[in-house]
Amino acid sequence: MSGMSWALAALSAALTAFLAGILLSATPKHQRRLVCALLLLSALAALAAGLAGLLSAPGEVRLPIGLPWLAMHFRLDALGGFFLLVLGLLLGATALYSVGYLRQLGSQRNLTPLYIFLPLFVIGMQGVMLADDAYTFMVFWELMSVASYFLVTFEHEQDGHRKAGFLYLLMAHLGGMLILGGFAILYAAGGSFEFDAMRAAALTPLWASLAFLLAMSGFGMKAGMMPLHAWLPDAHPAAPSNVSALMSGIMIKVAIFGFLRMIWDLIGLQQAHWWWGGLVLVIGSTSAVGGILFALQQNELKRVLAYSSVENIGIIAIGLGLGMIFAHYNYPSLAALGLVAALYHSLNHAMFKGLLFMGAGAVMHGAHSCDMGQLGGLIRRMPRTAALFLIGCISISALPPFNGFVSEWLTFQAALMAPQLQGTLLSALIPFSAAMLALAGALAAACFVKVFGIVFQGTPRSPAAAEAREANAWMQIGMAIPAALCLLLGIFPAWMLPLIDAVPKALIHAELGASATGNAWLWLTPIAQERASYSPLIVLMALLLAGCTFLVIHYRYGKKRRTEPWSCGHPHLNPRMQYTAAAFSQPLRRIFSDLYQPQDKLLRSDHGHTLLVKRLRYQVHVQDLLWRHLYLPVKRFSEWLTQRIDWLHHRPIHGYLAFTFVTLLLLLGLLL
Amino acid sequence: MTQPGLLQQWVVVAAAAMLLIMFALLAQRHMRALLRWFALQGVLLALTSALVAFVAGVPELYVSALLALLLKGLVLPWLLWRIVLRLGVHREVEPLVNISVTLLLGAALVLFAFYVSLPIEKLSQLVTRNIIAIALACVLLSMLMMITRRKAITQVVAFLSLENALFFTATAATNGMPLVVEIGVAFDVLIAALIFGLFFFQIRRTFDSLDLEHLEEKP
Amino acid sequence: MNLWLWNLAEAVLMVGLAPLATALVKLFKARLQNRRGPSLLQSYRDLAKLFAKQPVLAEHASWIFRLAPYVIFAATALAAAIVPVILVAMPLTAAADVIALVALLALARFFTALAAMDVGTAFGGMGASREMTFAALSEPAMLMSIFVLSIAAHSTNLSAMIDTVLNSGLGLRPSLAFALAALVMVAIAETGRIPVDNPATHLELTMVHEAMILEYSGRYLALIEWANQIKLLLFATLLLNLFLPWGIAQDSSLVSVLIAAGAWLLKLLLLFALLSLFETWMAKMRIFRVPEYLGLAFLLAILGILSHYILEVGV
């Protein structure tokens, strides 16, 4: 079967899942099994389609649905193929996870809306990746946004979820309009909705920049780049965990796909100005550092993961920005390096973030809370979940031998190529970006030590945590797949790179080529052997040696001597004496207090004298800085504006007649 | 190493040291340390002048070097320290913006200076054209210091370091100014410092403080 | 094959000499403080004693607590095997460049912090929190100062960087001076020496590294202490070989190897003497002065890059 047929099969499987969701609402068990099985099929078909798209020539198909004079064009090329690959991998794992997760969720509520909108969401994402004209693209984009809105507000009884859904819908539509604006410019230049016409169109510099800014804002808003990220930390925790995994793992990558499609492919980098890449780089660096700084201050597990997604999108944007800068200064192979680093990080992020969100869902089900102040010691009650979650934490902290390190290493290598730009301002600015990337990576490690340490280690902070139940087998399988992929992608990057190389070849006609993996599959040498090289296998061997030594000694020495913790001789430790989430991030809160502007309160009650304290209560709250300084003023301004315009709604009849008359005059004047 | 090579080397090192001292001046918390770094700047200037005099064979610069050493390395810091002691000014430098932000702004200013002086560097024929960016950066950094400090004394130090930066540029980039100009400028600066001292005494007597915010209030 | 043997020998040397290096620093400090100080073999005796003792575990310590010392030791030993010590061109150096070196040390630190959080004491949390915060602030400074060198060498491979410094002659380059200053400051922070952390303290509120390993005993503690000593030797060697590499062997003939070994030992001796002098002279900083200290290191590294672009690359 050709790639395009696989892609259509994926769409059909998802459509069948949607129908199954509607029709089988009377039998929840069959409904769940069938919908998840169909989604798994869709994922496998998407995986096959993705591989075909990367390995073979582009395929096209035209469906006679849609507008009368514009059929729906579908095309599977390398770029779409890569993102379909990402989708297929994560969706497959999530489908398996959902069988177990939704069984438990289904015992509490009716899941039919979920079974209806989840397949629609998947169809939307797949359709966007396959679209070959603007109409198809926008239809599937809106389908994706609206379906995910319903998924976000799935548990709509909670006030916070409704607010999160509203903000999400508002920003999704705003972003959609901006993207539409970008397409409008391209349509005007190319004369047709079809992407082929848009590719061939030549734009004046002003319109090209305008289209770039519209696309950047629209796709950036959906991807969650700062400062347009405010919907992410509210929406991702509100949705059920399997949906959050898909949203964070794939949906924001679809936005990256859209960015690449519009700016790298349709507008084309040869029409790019020098400052486009610089802007993307600056936004990427800001998102990376800002995202992780705010992630560190969150106390709810899923909010941490959501802000961490903002950080990783920033890292992807850094790679893209570097690629754009190098492409502008005519270094195509370096641009390919930047693009490959960004794409590899997209894949890696889908894997480990999906794993982490699935783990959060397992924690939610097992301990009935995602509030880090109520958790603790889960490693003993949920050992397998803990081990898999640990793999996710190590990967996201960019530590060898897992995959996060490889993509960050590639991004660093791309940044270090800056001196090739020969003393321009950008070449002096790029090392700053590299420093911000290093800061973001190190802060991510701090954040995930905090997350794993507080949630899984120590002693339980609440009775629910003390009696937590391990996740069921389906959930474990669903988590094990991304975990295994994290390890494989970290150890064998040389296998993935030739696949990913097809994308820069299609977009900018340059590739990393043979040098990347020329020294056999053991070594990763993106530019040249003498330049930089990394052999993940040697690191893995050293660590395996350590692990084996541990196991040998463990089994040889058998029983250990156990006693109370030493803790400098303090007796009677209780769980309240442990570090809390807010306590762990206190040094950073103090160092970056100008950025956080934390509001804290200390309440004390005593037995009549200040020294005889009865109770102390400390509350600290860190609000997203951009929320207070950007979003609230915008909200206030739009409220002010609507109040000013309100007088239009209260005119007497003569007023309305006058409006109609003036409009008629204007139309006559314009049209005649 | 040939003589021009030696000069070039030293000028490059001195420029880097100048930049470092400017950042050190921006980062100081204590008045005494600030004046010590300022004195060090004067010594650096003296050394540079002396070396340029030796290599380029411009004997007047020896006098410049001596003047710089005496005036900027010894007399001016001592004068300023005496003022600090007599007026009972707090020994802490009080910045308007906190120090980390000031340093980050300084780094951004250096980048800006580099960007602005790129076309100039292309045009210049002199061997020491790289210094122009550093010199401009030092001037901008002293202006930043003037803007972000509360106390009048620190603003005077900033003004004097601005003059130092210009002097360094002149020496390094153009092998020194004519001696007459040099002496004139040096005496101007000395008189300025004396007058500042007088004014400070007056200000303090009127407002009981040298904090510039007080000067904005109506008496 | 020959080079692999040399690499193995270098790795064994680094791992084996690390306790001696720490003992040397302790001896210098003691003499500066008018004490006699421990014998040079004392670190080895301490390690042997710890290995012989039975470890005692907290009741609810998990497998991470037991696995962590092995991972820490393996990662640090691998990092030590990567750094060129006596010979410039080493096969393992091609396996991992300087970014991977930093990442390996970060892996060791990650597991130390996890082990600290494992037992659920306040000290563990405190140590982990402080350590990860300072590490986060020192990573940009370390990477920037190494970037100065790698930009000049057009490579992140340690051997290539050393080669560049060797071949660029004896000229004084301000960017390298700034990078050296920044890296020295970061090295002090990473190895937990005064003024950032006191390696000899047992006062709870001033501990950073010690707080994290408070619950360890027996062979676990031995492995962690040894890894810490290897880290000190690693940073010292890295500093010396990157910025003052003269004497290092560029071919594997016996003569150059012997000269290189002698030069390395001599340079180490001088560096440790300076370190002890510095530690005796300075006092430990307040905890919240450390971010300013690291910010200063970052600033110096940035000045290094800027002066490289402005003064050395030019137009």
Side-chain angles (χ1 to χ4, degrees), chain A residues 44 144 232 243 283 299 306 339 374 396 425 451 607 614 664:
Chain A
L44 290 171
M144 180 180 79
L232 239 170
V243 173
I283 288 182
N299 290 336
L339 181 60
Q374 306 292 320
I396 202 170
L425 178 66
V451 165
H607 294 282
K614 184 158 71 176
L664 183 64

Side-chain angles (χ1 to χ4, degrees), chain A residues 109 157 292 318 325 348 406 425 549 569 573 604 636 658 665:
Chain A
R109 56 193 308 138
E157 311 81 43
I292 196 66
I318 290 180
I325 293 176
N348 290 341
V406 178
L425 178 66
T549 322
L573 289 179
R604 59 183 298 155
R636 277 195 288 267
L665 286 179

Side-chain angles (χ1 to χ4, degrees), chain B residues 57-120:
Chain B
V58 184
E60 293 123 23
L61 283 180
Y62 282 122
V63 182
S64 275
L66 197 63
L67 266 176
L69 187 63
L70 284 176
L71 266 180
K72 297 181 184 149
L74 292 173
V75 172
L76 276 176
W78 176 76
L79 254 181
L80 288 169
W81 183 241
R82 259 198 42 189
I83 294 176
V84 168
L85 285 178
R86 265 185 64 195
L87 296 181
V89 178
H90 285 191
R91 313 288 176 80
E92 303 262 323
V93 172
E94 284 163 26
L96 265 174
V97 200
N98 78 19
I99 299 232
S100 327
V101 174
T102 323
L103 289 175
L104 275 174
L105 279 173
L109 275 176
V110 174
L111 256 177
F112 178 71
F114 175 50
Y115 177 53
V116 162
S117 53
L118 271 176
I120 305 175

Side-chain angles (χ1 to χ4, degrees), chain A residues 431-468:
Chain A
F432 278 108
S433 275
M436 291 298 106
L437 182 62
L439 181 64
L443 285 172
C447 182
F448 283 92
V449 164
K450 166 184 162 179
V451 165
F452 192 80
I454 304 244
V455 171
F456 286 98
Q457 294 183 298
T459 44
R461 292 179 181 82
S462 72
E467 292 160 17

Side-chain angles (χ1 to χ4, degrees), chain B residues 37-56:
Chain B
W37 279 101
F38 176 63
L40 197 64
Q41 200 178 35
V43 171
L44 179 69
L45 281 177
L47 279 173
T48 314
S49 299
L51 191 69
V52 172
F54 174 60
V55 171

